[in-house]
Amino acid sequence: MFQFWTDFISSLLKKDDSSQMAAARLKGSVFLDRLSLSPATLDLIRTDVVRSISRYLVIDENQMTLAVQAEGRSLALAASIPVLRPRMEPIAEPQAVARAATQTVEIDARTDPARAGITVYERARARAMRRKRQVKR
Amino acid sequence: MGKVIVVTSGKGGVGKTTATANLGTGLAQAGKSVVLLDADIGLRNLDLVLGLENRIVFDLVDVVEKKCRSFRAALIKDKRFDNMHLLPAAQSREKDAVKPEQMKVLCNELRQQFDFVLIDCPAGIEHGFRNAIAGADEAIIVTNPEVSAVRDADRVIGLLEAEEKCNPHLIVNRVKPELMKKGQMLSIQDVQEILNVKILGIVPEDEKILRASNRGEPAVLDPSSRAGAAYREIVGRLTNPEAAPVVIHKEQPSFMTRVWRALGISEEMANHA
């Protein structure tokens, strides 16, 4: 009996809703295409952003997202960068460069376009919900 | 003065030719004078889908190269409707046998004589596409709720915007509502959100489309065809701008999705748990 229920629950959990994945992946590539921007260039931008901000703040790069979003047909580069703590003594530029350089490989390995895409999707949905709520008021 | 509308998609196999044949036939049925122009030089098919393949004498390239007296000599009158004509593409030539300027001239001549000029655009975004859009006032983009078709549609919309062929309209073709309900197919809202263009119609997947092209009789004439009914609705929107717009049914999130949301757990996390 217990087996039945665990199977039942996991069958509910493993529902195939690949369309959300499709939408998120499409947004990821379509918006980059519109800007003639390659994923590699977006990674470079990300590295630069990390480098600049890391001079002043300690940030959580694992949780950071940087992606292109759409508002109608116009596009925006949206970043969400969680800050862990202030950096007591801001790093001078050359050191930051060296630091970023050692981290590039790490970022590349972690970069997961699908995950980034989903974040965009969720945020777009959240925005849509917020707008809807405002309309209701 | 008639309207020149190009039917395009970027990706092949999404149903451009079928859409052109059905819209043209539907418009003719609604009493409009229509000419269908097959711009897919070298890979013509509109004649076959309309069942007019045996009547071709001259083609688009002959008209442009002035091998026949006027475009009238190349027009094939439809079997069913006197007010519908086909201008077929050449089969043994290449896309560059025609230049965009020549297409502009031809489209301007055709629009004097017909209410609607529908151009069946070849797949791709190269020479054939440039020719097909050159003389058009408006564009209908055909896409499928599927990643590659939507991405290609976005590319084409971008190119049309760059050419200032404004106001592209979208037909989402080969829709499977059951799969959409289950979340296994891109929803109409997803497609609309990504492409951000006005939706002209939603055409369901229908086996009768295959039978229709087998017979050379567009499905729009078959009262029992679901796709045919969708095309009749689109024709209504083309002929009457005040016709009822497309209703996009909001999909209800599934019970479990709502549970996860209420608990503040993202579905991804729930699915991987």
Side-chain angles (χ1 to χ4, degrees):
Chain A
M1 196 60 193
F2 180 71
Q3 181 70 37
F4 168 78
W5 284 109
T6 50
D7 282 356
F8 176 70
I9 290 166
S10 65
S11 77
L12 283 178
L13 294 182
K14 279 185 193 141
K15 197 173 156 249
D16 171 18
D17 46 6
S18 53
S19 72
Q20 289 201 20
M21 191 70 135
R25 286 177 55 230
L26 257 175
K27 282 173 192 174
S29 67
V30 159
F31 298 161
L32 282 183
D33 283 352
R34 276 189 212 159
L35 294 174
S36 309
L37 204 64
S38 71
T41 318
L42 190 65
D43 270 353
L44 286 179
I45 297 175
R46 188 190 150 103
T47 312
D48 277 1
V49 168
V50 168
R51 183 173 63 188
S52 308
I53 295 176
S54 296
R55 286 170 62 196
Y56 307 101
L57 296 166
V58 179
I59 59 175
D60 184 354
E61 283 174 47
N62 288 315
Q63 297 301 315
M64 168 187 170
T65 59
L66 178 72
V68 184
Q69 294 185 357
E71 288 285 345
R73 278 296 285 180
S74 59
L75 297 174
L77 197 58
S80 162
I81 309 169
V83 179
L84 296 177
R85 57 181 177 276
R87 198 180 281 289
M88 288 314 162
E89 283 174 48
I91 303 175
E93 178 61 5
Q95 261 172 293
V97 173
R99 196 173 159 273
T102 57
Q103 280 177 353
T104 313
V105 178
E106 239 177 284
I107 293 166
D108 282 347
R110 271 199 310 265
T111 302
D112 178 353
R115 194 187 61 185
I118 283 163
T119 319
V120 175
Y121 179 71
E122 283 174 350
R123 214 170 310 127
R125 283 196 77 131
R127 220 170 339 118
M129 297 289 273
R130 237 178 289 136
R131 225 174 284 144
K132 225 180 281 166
R133 253 177 262 139
Q134 279 166 358
V135 170
K136 266 187 198 157
R137 270 181 220 155
Chain B
M1 281 286 260
K3 230 188 230 174
V4 185
I5 306 175
V6 61
V7 181
T8 182
S9 70
K11 187 178 179 296
V14 296
K16 279 182 298 298
T17 303
T18 314
T20 313
N22 279 290
L23 294 180
T25 308
L27 285 166
Q29 198 176 25
K32 302 287 176 186
S33 66
V34 187
V35 63
L36 304 182
L37 200 165
D38 191 349
D40 202 348
I41 301 167
L43 292 167
R44 74 173 172 212
N45 278 318
L46 192 53
D47 53 333
L48 210 52
V49 172
L50 289 166
L52 302 174
E53 69 278 11
N54 292 327
R55 304 182 180 198
I56 297 176
V57 183
F58 294 111
D59 56 48
L60 175 62
V61 176
D62 294 327
V63 171
V64 164
E65 291 180 348
K66 300 208 160 36
K67 285 191 181 151
C68 48
R69 273 174 294 119
S70 83
F71 68 82
R72 298 212 146 268
L75 291 183
I76 304 166
K77 194 195 278 181
D78 183 60
K79 290 175 188 171
R80 296 144 291 232
F81 298 102
D82 287 347
N83 50 342
M84 177 162 112
H85 292 80
L86 169 71
L87 181 48
Q91 185 69 322
S92 55
R93 298 293 296 268
E94 308 246 329
K95 308 265 193 245
D96 55 10
V98 176
K99 292 191 178 69
E101 292 70 40
Q102 296 172 314
M103 285 296 285
K104 261 184 211 170
V105 172
L106 177 62
C107 288
N108 280 333
E109 279 179 61
L110 289 170
R111 88 166 84 223
Q112 317 274 332
Q113 315 273 334
F114 297 92
D115 298 329
F116 285 92
V117 182
L118 297 187
I119 305 171
D120 185 18
C121 179
I125 50 174
E126 299 85 15
H127 204 103
F129 169 75
R130 298 275 161 205
N131 280 339
I133 67 167
D137 313 313
E138 285 178 24
I140 292 177
I141 319 284
V142 182
T143 192
N144 298 160
E146 184 249 323
V147 284
S148 44
V150 174
R151 186 197 225 179
D152 291 3
D154 187 75
R155 250 325 249 143
V156 164
I157 292 165
L159 292 170
L160 288 167
E161 278 174 355
E163 295 276 325
E164 295 183 351
K165 303 270 173 211
C166 44
N167 213 6
H169 283 59
L170 194 71
I171 291 181
V172 188
N173 195 18
R174 313 192 84 164
V175 167
K176 296 178 182 167
E178 325 78 58
L179 288 190
M180 275 188 185
K181 244 176 242 162
K182 286 188 212 156
Q184 290 167 8
M185 181 177 249
L186 277 170
S187 70
I188 303 297
Q189 299 104 280
D190 286 334
V191 175
Q192 156 100 74
E193 218 178 296
I194 293 164
L195 299 178
N196 195 43
V197 291
K198 217 181 244 170
I199 295 187
L200 182 63
I202 299 162
V203 183
E205 173 85 67
D206 185 356
E207 284 176 15
K208 287 189 172 145
I209 288 285
L210 179 62
R211 204 167 62 188
S213 52
N214 286 346
R215 292 179 176 177
E217 294 223 349
V220 73
L221 299 173
D222 178 354
S224 70
S225 162
R226 288 188 302 158
Y231 280 117
R232 283 193 292 277
E233 267 181 47
I234 297 171
V235 166
R237 286 184 202 110
L238 284 176
T239 50
N240 172 19
E242 268 131 61
V246 179
V247 183
I248 300 169
H249 298 287
K250 284 262 154 81
E251 276 146 62
Q252 284 297 319
S254 72
F255 173 68
M256 283 316 282
T257 309
R258 274 180 291 169
V259 170
W260 297 128
R261 269 188 212 152
L263 296 173
I265 302 169
S266 90
E267 250 166 288
E268 272 299 292
M269 278 159 67
N271 291 344
H272 287 295

